[in-house]
Amino acid sequence: MAFSHIPVLLNEVLDGLDIKEDGIYVDATFGRGGHSRKILERLGPSGRLYGLDRDLTAVEAAKEIKDERFCITHSAFSNILEVCENLGIAGKVDGILMDIGVSSPQIDDPSRGFSFDKDGPLDMRMDQSAKLDAKTIVNTYSKQDLAYIFKVYGEENFASKVAAAIVRDREKKPFETTLELSEFIKRVIGGKPTPKHKATRCFQALRIAVNGELDELKKALDSSLDVLADNGRLCVISFHSLEDRIVKTFIKDKSQGQKVPNGLPLTFEETEKMRLATAKVEPVGGAIKATAEEIESNVRSRSATLRVCRRLKRQP
Protein backbone atom coordinates (compact mmCIF):
# COMPACT_ATOMS: atom_id res chain seq x y z
CA MET A 1 0.00 0.00 0.00
CA ALA A 2 1.13 3.57 -0.70
CA PHE A 3 0.84 6.12 2.08
CA SER A 4 1.21 9.85 1.51
CA HIS A 5 3.54 12.07 3.47
CA ILE A 6 3.65 15.86 3.40
CA PRO A 7 6.99 17.23 4.66
CA VAL A 8 6.44 19.77 7.45
CA LEU A 9 8.07 23.19 7.60
CA LEU A 10 9.61 22.51 4.19
CA ASN A 11 10.54 26.08 3.22
CA GLU A 12 11.74 26.83 6.74
CA VAL A 13 14.02 23.77 6.65
CA LEU A 14 15.48 24.73 3.29
CA ASP A 15 16.16 28.24 4.58
CA GLY A 16 17.63 26.87 7.80
CA LEU A 17 20.03 24.57 5.96
CA ASP A 18 21.26 27.53 3.89
CA ILE A 19 21.97 25.13 1.03
CA LYS A 20 25.09 25.57 -1.08
CA GLU A 21 25.03 24.09 -4.57
CA ASP A 22 28.23 22.13 -4.02
CA GLY A 23 27.51 21.26 -0.39
CA ILE A 24 27.25 17.94 1.42
CA TYR A 25 23.99 17.30 3.30
CA VAL A 26 22.52 14.53 5.44
CA ASP A 27 18.81 13.82 5.83
CA ALA A 28 19.14 11.74 8.98
CA THR A 29 15.46 10.73 9.01
CA PHE A 30 14.56 10.16 5.35
CA GLY A 31 10.95 9.03 5.87
CA ARG A 32 9.42 9.28 2.42
CA GLY A 33 11.95 11.80 1.15
CA GLY A 34 9.84 14.95 0.94
CA HIS A 35 12.62 17.11 2.35
CA SER A 36 15.33 15.18 0.51
CA ARG A 37 13.79 15.73 -2.91
CA LYS A 38 13.65 19.48 -2.37
CA ILE A 39 17.23 19.56 -1.09
CA LEU A 40 18.34 17.76 -4.26
CA GLU A 41 16.58 20.39 -6.36
CA ARG A 42 18.83 23.05 -4.81
CA LEU A 43 22.07 21.12 -5.21
CA GLY A 44 24.35 21.48 -8.20
CA PRO A 45 26.11 18.62 -10.04
CA SER A 46 28.85 18.35 -7.40
CA GLY A 47 26.49 18.53 -4.40
CA ARG A 48 25.77 15.40 -2.38
CA LEU A 49 22.88 14.22 -0.20
CA TYR A 50 23.05 11.21 2.10
CA GLY A 51 19.92 9.72 3.64
CA LEU A 52 19.50 7.60 6.77
CA ASP A 53 16.48 5.75 8.07
CA ARG A 54 16.00 2.76 10.34
CA ASP A 55 12.62 1.95 8.79
CA LEU A 56 13.15 -0.69 6.10
CA THR A 57 10.04 0.52 4.25
CA ALA A 58 11.52 4.02 4.06
CA VAL A 59 14.82 2.65 2.79
CA GLU A 60 12.95 0.79 0.06
CA ALA A 61 11.04 3.96 -0.85
CA ALA A 62 14.34 5.85 -1.16
CA LYS A 63 15.33 3.60 -4.04
CA GLU A 64 12.78 5.46 -6.16
CA ILE A 65 15.17 8.43 -6.21
CA LYS A 66 17.33 7.82 -9.27
CA ASP A 67 20.02 10.42 -8.67
CA GLU A 68 23.74 9.76 -8.50
CA ARG A 69 24.08 12.61 -5.99
CA PHE A 70 21.99 10.68 -3.45
CA CYS A 71 22.38 7.46 -1.49
CA ILE A 72 20.50 5.89 1.43
CA THR A 73 21.77 3.91 4.42
CA HIS A 74 19.65 1.67 6.67
CA SER A 75 20.54 3.06 10.08
CA ALA A 76 19.12 4.81 13.10
CA PHE A 77 19.98 8.50 13.05
CA SER A 78 21.78 8.06 16.37
CA ASN A 79 24.52 6.30 14.37
CA ILE A 80 25.04 9.31 12.11
CA LEU A 81 28.70 9.73 13.08
CA GLU A 82 29.58 6.09 12.35
CA VAL A 83 27.71 6.22 9.02
CA CYS A 84 29.42 9.45 7.99
CA GLU A 85 32.83 8.13 9.01
CA ASN A 86 32.25 5.09 6.80
CA LEU A 87 31.24 7.41 3.95
CA GLY A 88 34.31 9.59 4.50
CA ILE A 89 32.28 12.76 5.13
CA ALA A 90 32.55 13.19 8.93
CA GLY A 91 33.50 16.78 9.67
CA LYS A 92 32.68 17.82 6.09
CA VAL A 93 28.89 18.02 6.17
CA ASP A 94 27.31 21.41 5.43
CA GLY A 95 23.89 20.60 6.81
CA ILE A 96 21.98 17.96 8.76
CA LEU A 97 18.21 17.55 8.97
CA MET A 98 16.62 15.54 11.78
CA ASP A 99 12.83 15.18 11.53
CA ILE A 100 12.11 13.43 14.82
CA GLY A 101 9.34 11.02 15.70
CA VAL A 102 6.86 8.86 13.84
CA SER A 103 6.13 9.59 10.17
CA SER A 104 2.71 9.86 8.53
CA PRO A 105 3.11 6.59 6.58
CA GLN A 106 3.96 4.77 9.81
CA ILE A 107 0.85 6.17 11.52
CA ASP A 108 -1.41 5.53 8.53
CA ASP A 109 -0.38 1.90 8.09
CA PRO A 110 -2.39 -0.16 10.64
CA SER A 111 0.03 -3.08 10.34
CA ARG A 112 2.77 -0.97 11.97
CA GLY A 113 0.75 -0.62 15.18
CA PHE A 114 1.39 3.08 15.86
CA SER A 115 -2.19 4.33 15.72
CA PHE A 116 -4.71 4.15 18.56
CA ASP A 117 -7.69 4.52 16.18
CA LYS A 118 -6.73 1.90 13.56
CA ASP A 119 -6.70 -1.76 14.51
CA GLY A 120 -3.41 -3.53 14.09
CA PRO A 121 -0.81 -5.53 16.01
CA LEU A 122 0.83 -3.95 19.05
CA ASP A 123 4.11 -3.35 17.27
CA MET A 124 5.35 0.29 17.07
CA ARG A 125 8.85 -0.63 15.91
CA MET A 126 10.39 1.96 13.61
CA ASP A 127 13.03 -0.61 12.69
CA GLN A 128 11.23 -3.80 11.75
CA SER A 129 14.40 -5.79 12.45
CA ALA A 130 14.41 -4.75 16.14
CA LYS A 131 13.30 -7.28 18.76
CA LEU A 132 11.43 -5.16 21.30
CA ASP A 133 7.84 -4.25 20.41
CA ALA A 134 4.89 -2.66 22.22
CA LYS A 135 3.21 -6.02 22.80
CA THR A 136 6.20 -7.20 24.84
CA ILE A 137 6.24 -4.04 26.96
CA VAL A 138 2.49 -4.05 27.63
CA ASN A 139 2.30 -7.74 28.49
CA THR A 140 5.55 -8.32 30.41
CA TYR A 141 6.77 -5.10 32.04
CA SER A 142 6.05 -4.58 35.74
CA LYS A 143 3.42 -2.16 37.01
CA GLN A 144 6.17 0.18 38.20
CA ASP A 145 7.96 0.17 34.83
CA LEU A 146 4.75 0.75 32.90
CA ALA A 147 3.79 3.61 35.18
CA TYR A 148 7.23 5.17 34.68
CA ILE A 149 6.94 4.90 30.88
CA PHE A 150 3.46 6.46 30.83
CA LYS A 151 4.39 9.21 33.27
CA VAL A 152 7.84 10.20 31.96
CA TYR A 153 7.47 9.55 28.23
CA GLY A 154 3.78 10.35 27.91
CA GLU A 155 3.32 12.88 30.72
CA GLU A 156 0.13 10.98 31.51
CA ASN A 157 -1.59 12.09 34.73
CA PHE A 158 -3.27 8.69 35.14
CA ALA A 159 -0.05 6.71 34.56
CA SER A 160 -0.23 4.61 37.75
CA LYS A 161 -3.94 3.91 37.32
CA VAL A 162 -3.52 2.75 33.73
CA ALA A 163 -0.44 0.65 34.53
CA ALA A 164 -2.18 -1.13 37.40
CA ALA A 165 -5.24 -1.85 35.28
CA ILE A 166 -3.15 -3.26 32.42
CA VAL A 167 -1.25 -5.59 34.75
CA ARG A 168 -4.52 -6.85 36.26
CA ASP A 169 -6.29 -7.35 32.94
CA ARG A 170 -3.44 -9.04 31.07
CA GLU A 171 -3.60 -11.93 33.56
CA LYS A 172 -6.87 -12.95 31.91
CA LYS A 173 -5.69 -12.44 28.34
CA PRO A 174 -2.63 -10.71 26.86
CA PHE A 175 -3.22 -7.52 24.91
CA GLU A 176 -2.85 -8.19 21.18
CA THR A 177 -4.07 -5.21 19.14
CA THR A 178 -3.95 -1.43 19.14
CA LEU A 179 -7.70 -0.87 19.33
CA GLU A 180 -8.00 -3.39 22.14
CA LEU A 181 -5.44 -1.44 24.17
CA SER A 182 -6.63 2.07 23.26
CA GLU A 183 -10.25 1.32 24.13
CA PHE A 184 -9.13 -0.28 27.38
CA ILE A 185 -7.09 2.80 28.34
CA LYS A 186 -10.04 5.02 27.42
CA ARG A 187 -12.30 3.08 29.81
CA VAL A 188 -9.73 3.11 32.61
CA ILE A 189 -9.18 6.86 32.46
CA GLY A 190 -12.90 7.54 32.11
CA GLY A 191 -14.40 10.99 32.50
CA LYS A 192 -16.01 13.23 29.92
CA PRO A 193 -15.07 12.95 26.24
CA THR A 194 -12.11 15.10 25.20
CA PRO A 195 -10.94 16.33 21.76
CA LYS A 196 -7.75 14.30 22.13
CA HIS A 197 -8.16 10.52 22.45
CA LYS A 198 -7.53 9.44 26.03
CA ALA A 199 -4.96 6.86 24.91
CA THR A 200 -2.85 9.43 23.04
CA ARG A 201 -0.26 10.00 25.76
CA CYS A 202 0.12 6.31 26.62
CA PHE A 203 0.59 5.37 22.97
CA GLN A 204 3.20 8.11 22.58
CA ALA A 205 4.98 6.78 25.66
CA LEU A 206 4.99 3.19 24.40
CA ARG A 207 6.34 4.29 21.02
CA ILE A 208 9.15 6.23 22.65
CA ALA A 209 10.01 3.29 24.90
CA VAL A 210 9.95 0.74 22.06
CA ASN A 211 12.29 2.83 19.91
CA GLY A 212 14.43 4.42 22.63
CA GLU A 213 13.66 7.74 20.96
CA LEU A 214 14.92 10.18 23.58
CA ASP A 215 18.28 8.46 23.99
CA GLU A 216 18.55 8.21 20.20
CA LEU A 217 17.96 11.94 19.91
CA LYS A 218 20.54 12.85 22.54
CA LYS A 219 23.18 10.66 20.90
CA ALA A 220 22.40 12.05 17.43
CA LEU A 221 22.66 15.65 18.62
CA ASP A 222 26.01 15.05 20.27
CA SER A 223 27.29 13.20 17.20
CA SER A 224 26.26 16.06 14.91
CA LEU A 225 29.07 18.19 16.35
CA ASP A 226 31.65 15.83 14.83
CA VAL A 227 29.73 15.36 11.58
CA LEU A 228 29.23 19.03 10.69
CA ALA A 229 31.87 21.12 8.97
CA ASP A 230 32.69 24.55 10.39
CA ASN A 231 29.65 26.79 9.80
CA GLY A 232 27.51 23.75 8.95
CA ARG A 233 23.82 23.94 9.88
CA LEU A 234 21.76 21.58 12.04
CA CYS A 235 17.97 21.65 11.62
CA VAL A 236 15.84 19.62 14.04
CA ILE A 237 12.06 19.24 13.82
CA SER A 238 10.34 17.88 16.93
CA PHE A 239 6.68 17.15 17.60
CA HIS A 240 6.27 17.12 21.36
CA SER A 241 7.65 18.91 24.38
CA LEU A 242 9.98 16.10 25.52
CA GLU A 243 11.88 16.17 22.23
CA ASP A 244 11.88 19.95 21.89
CA ARG A 245 13.18 20.35 25.44
CA ILE A 246 16.16 18.11 24.62
CA VAL A 247 16.93 20.04 21.42
CA LYS A 248 16.53 23.43 23.11
CA THR A 249 18.79 22.40 26.00
CA PHE A 250 21.41 20.99 23.63
CA ILE A 251 21.63 24.22 21.63
CA LYS A 252 21.70 26.34 24.78
CA ASP A 253 24.41 24.27 26.47
CA LYS A 254 26.63 23.94 23.40
CA SER A 255 26.34 27.64 22.58
CA GLN A 256 27.32 28.79 26.07
CA GLY A 257 30.64 26.98 26.16
CA GLN A 258 32.53 26.02 29.29
CA LYS A 259 31.75 28.23 32.24
CA VAL A 260 34.74 29.96 33.83
CA PRO A 261 34.99 29.34 37.62
CA ASN A 262 34.15 32.29 39.83
CA GLY A 263 36.98 34.08 41.60
CA LEU A 264 39.58 34.01 38.85
CA PRO A 265 41.47 37.31 38.45
CA LEU A 266 40.07 37.94 34.96
CA THR A 267 38.10 40.75 33.40
CA PHE A 268 34.61 40.15 32.00
CA GLU A 269 36.02 40.36 28.46
CA GLU A 270 38.62 37.72 29.26
CA THR A 271 36.10 35.32 30.80
CA GLU A 272 33.78 35.80 27.83
CA LYS A 273 36.62 35.05 25.43
CA MET A 274 37.45 31.86 27.32
CA ARG A 275 33.82 30.81 27.42
CA LEU A 276 33.15 31.45 23.76
CA ALA A 277 36.35 29.63 22.77
CA THR A 278 34.72 26.40 24.01
CA ALA A 279 31.26 27.02 22.51
CA LYS A 280 30.35 24.52 19.78
CA VAL A 281 27.24 26.01 18.14
CA GLU A 282 25.39 29.25 17.66
CA PRO A 283 21.58 29.41 17.57
CA VAL A 284 20.07 30.63 14.30
CA GLY A 285 16.86 32.32 15.35
CA GLY A 286 14.41 30.83 17.83
CA ALA A 287 11.72 28.18 17.70
CA ILE A 288 9.94 28.09 14.33
CA LYS A 289 6.32 26.94 14.06
CA ALA A 290 4.12 26.14 11.08
CA THR A 291 2.10 28.94 9.55
CA ALA A 292 -1.69 28.96 9.70
CA GLU A 293 -1.73 28.17 5.98
CA GLU A 294 0.45 25.09 6.44
CA ILE A 295 -1.59 23.83 9.37
CA GLU A 296 -4.75 24.20 7.29
CA SER A 297 -3.28 22.02 4.54
CA ASN A 298 -1.47 19.59 6.86
CA VAL A 299 -2.93 19.32 10.35
CA ARG A 300 0.00 17.24 11.59
CA SER A 301 2.26 20.27 11.23
CA ARG A 302 0.51 22.09 14.08
CA SER A 303 2.67 20.43 16.75
CA ALA A 304 5.96 20.75 14.83
CA THR A 305 8.80 22.92 16.14
CA LEU A 306 11.96 23.61 14.15
CA ARG A 307 15.19 24.73 15.78
CA VAL A 308 18.33 25.64 13.85
CA CYS A 309 21.93 26.12 14.93
CA ARG A 310 25.28 26.68 13.22
CA ARG A 311 28.48 24.76 13.99
CA LEU A 312 31.10 27.23 15.17
CA LYS A 313 34.62 27.14 13.83
CA ARG A 314 36.75 24.59 15.62
CA GLN A 315 39.50 26.02 17.77
CA PRO A 316 43.10 25.02 16.88
Side-chain angles (χ1 to χ4, degrees):
M1 296 179 66
F3 298 93
S4 63
H5 176 67
I6 304 173
V8 302
L9 296 167
L10 178 58
N11 293 326
E12 292 83 353
V13 164
L14 296 174
D15 289 342
L17 288 172
D18 191 26
I19 297 171
K20 299 183 294 186
E21 286 192 359
D22 59 349
I24 299 173
Y25 295 87
V26 175
D27 184 346
T29 47
F30 178 82
R32 288 302 181 271
H35 291 105
S36 280
R37 287 178 172 84
K38 290 299 181 182
I39 293 171
L40 282 168
E41 287 180 9
R42 296 202 177 187
L43 290 179
S46 60
R48 293 292 181 269
L49 174 64
Y50 299 88
L52 280 69
D53 209 298
R54 60 175 166 176
D55 188 326
L56 291 167
T57 309
V59 173
E60 191 63 28
K63 296 177 181 178
E64 296 175 4
I65 298 180
K66 308 298 183 182
D67 193 320
E68 61 181 12
R69 300 170 302 166
F70 170 79
C71 72
I72 186 75
T73 300
H74 177 225
S75 172
F77 74 118
S78 59
N79 296 326
I80 186 171
L81 178 56
E82 179 184 346
V83 171
C84 289
E85 285 176 338
N86 291 338
L87 292 167
I89 60 171
K92 303 176 183 178
V93 173
D94 296 294
I96 299 171
L97 169 62
M98 299 178 183
D99 186 355
I100 312 305
V102 65
S103 69
S104 297
Q106 289 170 332
I107 295 173
D108 294 338
D109 184 353
S111 71
R112 302 298 299 273
F114 286 100
S115 177
F116 46 75
D117 59 3
K118 297 182 178 71
D119 204 20
L122 273 173
D123 193 327
M124 300 192 191
R125 291 173 300 166
M126 291 180 176
D127 182 348
Q128 299 94 320
S129 65
K131 293 182 179 179
L132 182 64
D133 58 14
K135 181 179 177 181
T136 300
I137 291 177
V138 169
N139 290 305
T140 66
Y141 277 29
S142 69
K143 179 174 67 176
Q144 292 76 15
D145 287 343
L146 284 174
Y148 176 88
I149 288 170
F150 295 147
K151 182 66 176 177
V152 175
Y153 297 157
E155 300 177 303
E156 173 57 66
N157 292 329
F158 298 96
S160 296
K161 182 180 180 182
V162 172
I166 286 175
V167 170
R168 285 196 306 270
D169 206 73
R170 74 190 187 191
E171 292 300 318
K172 309 171 195 173
K173 176 184 173 297
F175 289 90
E176 299 285 346
T177 70
T178 50
L179 276 186
E180 180 186 4
L181 180 63
S182 65
E183 289 302 308
F184 178 79
I185 293 172
K186 181 180 177 181
R187 291 195 300 272
V188 170
I189 293 177
K192 297 179 180 179
T194 55
K196 183 182 289 186
H197 195 290
K198 293 182 184 292
T200 301
R201 294 180 182 274
C202 290
F203 266 60
Q204 171 189 297
L206 285 171
R207 190 200 81 217
I208 290 173
V210 167
N211 298 289
E213 290 179 40
L214 301 186
D215 289 336
E216 292 275 312
L217 175 57
K218 291 174 184 176
K219 182 180 177 183
L221 291 173
D222 286 335
S223 296
S224 70
L225 297 174
D226 293 320
V227 172
L228 286 169
D230 291 350
N231 296 313
R233 298 288 189 95
L234 171 65
C235 293
V236 186
I237 302 173
S238 58
F239 288 86
H240 59 73
S241 59
L242 291 175
E243 295 170 341
D244 184 52
R245 198 175 304 138
I246 291 172
V247 178
K248 182 180 179 181
T249 300
F250 168 80
I251 294 175
K252 180 181 178 182
D253 289 348
K254 299 305 179 182
S255 63
Q256 287 181 339
Q258 186 175 350
K259 293 183 179 180
V260 180
N262 293 327
L264 291 180
L266 300 171
T267 65
F268 173 77
E269 290 75 14
E270 288 172 328
T271 58
E272 277 296 284
K273 184 177 180 181
M274 290 178 64
R275 182 182 68 80
L276 292 174
T278 58
K280 301 293 181 64
V281 304
E282 176 183 67
V284 178
I288 300 170
K289 305 290 287 187
T291 63
E293 290 77 15
E294 179 174 1
I295 293 172
E296 186 176 352
S297 62
N298 180 15
V299 69
R300 286 174 179 168
S301 68
R302 66 186 174 189
S303 58
T305 301
L306 169 65
R307 293 186 186 273
V308 183
C309 63
R310 179 178 66 89
R311 179 65 163 101
L312 294 175
K313 186 175 182 180
R314 291 164 172 82
Q315 297 300 314

